[in-house]
Amino acid sequence: MDDSGDNGRPQPGAGGTAPGTDPDNGKPKRPAEPGGGLLMGRPFGVPVYVAPSWFVVAALITWVFGGQLDRVLPELGAARYLVALFFAIAFYASVLVHELAHTVAALRYKLPVRRIQLQFFGGVSEIEKESETPGREFVLAFVGPLLSLVLGGVFYGAMQFVEPGTVPGVLLAGLMISNLIVAAFNLLPGLPLDGGRMLRAVVWKITGKPMSGTIAAAWVGRGLAVTVLVGLPLLTHTGALGGTAQDIGGVETVMDALLAAILAGIIWTGAGNSLRMARLREHLPDLRARTLTRRAVPVESATPLSEALRRANEAGARALVVVDGQGNPKGVVREAAIVGVPEHRRPWVAVSGLAQDLTDGMRIPAELAGEALLDRLKVTPATEYLVVEETGEIYGVLSTADVERAFVKAMARPEA
């Protein structure tokens, strides 16, 4: 299963696990290493991880395919499981090629790719930005299934040069069929599948609204989830998938129902996540540093906390900025530190002891908004930031808690 959409989820105040902006020169800053399993390599500079769940499915494929080999090539004996393990690895190598197609297309369009992860039901390319046009979105989604179809054709061509009923013949036939299944499954027109992203691009092109495309593709995806949940066990039970009809209540039926439930859950959850992320992206421009900033009063470092709070109350301010004798900001008094000082001790505690020294990354332009604002906060994690005008004048203090509340509010808005 493939989910190559925009999976970068902004988390205000979180550590730098997604690319942001260097506060000194405004250029992209390389993120901290993303986790996600065993690092296998960096094709095109993008880390490829194998999730722990892959080893579970690799063992399952080895067991199932080994059982099939016992019927086709009984002379292999126990060696059939080595052949089956090779098939599992080769199949996931095909999945990796599928994901690399998405990655190369994304990099071609200058869209950052955080990582590729091979996991239980296939792979995922974590592309952190949304395509700028529906045409690019369509191409970005289509190249994955296209490469799987091409691989299916390559394996079919290779089958013409080997003897049927041999180990190479069986392996090539299995890889051909599995790649065709991967392509067909991913072309289903519902998010989070590639076909859903293609449908989204088409609706986006027709309506001119990316959100309309997301809503349509997500609801089709939810419909697919229900269809898989009900239809897959039914097809297996009736023998419509090419096998023999099964009695209801048998072990095979239970396993088919469990597989259908897992697949349906993944599709349903992916469709819902796509809706939530699209809704968030639509409201991200509402996250503006200027509107979220608390009014602040400047105080010198030796000022007692009680006096600083009195001045803030008189001015209707909710934050304190420590300045030097010339009025230049040197630190921001942490709200959590203020709360931790008992009221009877506040006349004896200087604000300098409660302040966090300012770094360049903690100076936020007042006009910063949306994703650029979240990226800046990720680069330099802190609880409070100094917001300044273009002239360098102090505008106020931005609290991470306020940004998080605004972020959660945007996520909680009703779906369109």
Side-chain angles (χ1 to χ4, degrees), residues 77-397:
R80 68 183 183 273
Y81 290 109
L82 290 177
V83 176
L85 177 60
F86 177 83
F87 170 79
I89 295 173
F91 169 67
Y92 268 86
S94 300
V95 173
L96 177 58
V97 171
H98 177 115
E99 297 303 328
L100 285 173
H102 292 303
T103 295
V104 171
L107 296 177
R108 172 67 178 81
Y109 293 138
K110 302 188 186 309
L111 301 175
V113 182
R114 181 170 180 253
R115 67 179 177 179
I116 296 173
Q117 187 183 54
L118 300 180
Q119 48 190 228
F120 192 85
F121 274 107
V124 54
S125 303
E126 297 190 5
I127 302 170
E128 296 191 314
K129 300 284 185 181
E130 185 182 67
S131 300
E132 296 178 355
T133 66
R136 290 185 174 185
E137 173 80 354
F138 189 93
V139 171
L140 190 59
F142 181 60
V143 290
L146 176 62
L147 257 292
S148 293
L149 288 172
V150 170
L151 284 176
V154 169
F155 290 126
Y156 175 78
M159 287 173 58
Q160 310 311 309
F161 300 96
V162 300
E163 188 72 24
T166 62
V167 170
V170 172
L171 282 175
L172 289 171
L175 290 171
M176 178 196 71
I177 294 172
S178 60
N179 273 278
L180 293 178
I181 291 174
V182 167
F185 182 72
N186 275 284
L187 285 172
L188 293 175
L191 287 172
L193 304 175
D194 291 328
R197 298 187 62 205
M198 294 162 64
L199 174 61
R200 175 182 183 270
V202 171
V203 177
W204 177 4
K205 179 67 175 179
I206 294 172
T207 64
K209 299 177 180 178
M211 187 63 182
S212 297
T214 301
I215 292 171
W219 279 106
V220 172
R222 286 175 169 175
L224 282 174
V226 175
T227 301
V228 168
L229 180 63
V230 177
L232 184 59
L234 183 61
L235 289 174
T236 304
H237 170 66
T238 59
L241 294 179
T244 57
Q246 301 173 1
D247 294 331
I248 295 178
V251 175
E252 293 85 356
T253 302
V254 174
M255 293 300 295
D256 289 336
L258 178 61
L259 175 63
I262 294 173
L263 275 175
I266 291 173
I267 296 174
W268 183 280
T269 302
N273 287 340
S274 298
L275 273 177
R276 283 189 290 273
M277 291 308 300
R279 186 169 66 250
L280 170 63
R281 195 176 296 113
E282 188 177 51
H283 295 299
L284 267 181
D286 295 341
L287 300 180
R288 306 187 64 85
R290 185 175 294 277
T291 58
L292 294 173
T293 295
R294 300 178 178 184
R295 185 178 178 185
V297 293
V299 292
E300 295 188 359
S301 60
T303 306
L305 177 59
S306 59
E307 172 61 18
L309 292 176
R310 185 191 66 79
R311 296 180 191 177
N313 289 333
E314 287 185 352
R318 299 174 55 209
L320 301 172
V321 176
V322 178
V323 297
D324 60 18
Q326 288 72 44
N328 299 315
K330 294 299 181 182
V332 175
V333 179
R334 294 172 292 121
E335 182 179 24
I338 295 175
V339 174
V341 178
E343 189 169 350
H344 68 276
R345 292 192 59 234
R346 292 179 178 178
W348 316 107
V349 176
V351 292
S352 59
L354 308 175
Q356 183 173 6
D357 293 337
L358 285 174
T359 63
D360 288 337
M362 292 173 61
R363 298 174 186 266
I364 303 293
E367 297 305 322
L368 210 58
E371 195 166 354
L373 172 61
L374 296 180
D375 284 344
R376 177 64 70 89
L377 302 190
K378 292 176 193 174
V379 172
T380 309
T383 55
E384 283 91 8
Y385 299 83
L386 180 70
V387 180
V388 296
E389 299 282 9
E390 291 183 1
T391 59
E393 181 183 356
I394 297 174
Y395 180 75
V397 170

Side-chain angles (χ1 to χ4, degrees), residues 62-83:
T62 300
W63 176 60
V64 173
F65 194 67
Q68 294 175 342
L69 285 175
D70 190 36
R71 292 192 293 270
V72 179
L73 299 169
E75 66 274 13
L76 287 177
R80 68 183 183 273
Y81 290 109
L82 290 177
V83 176

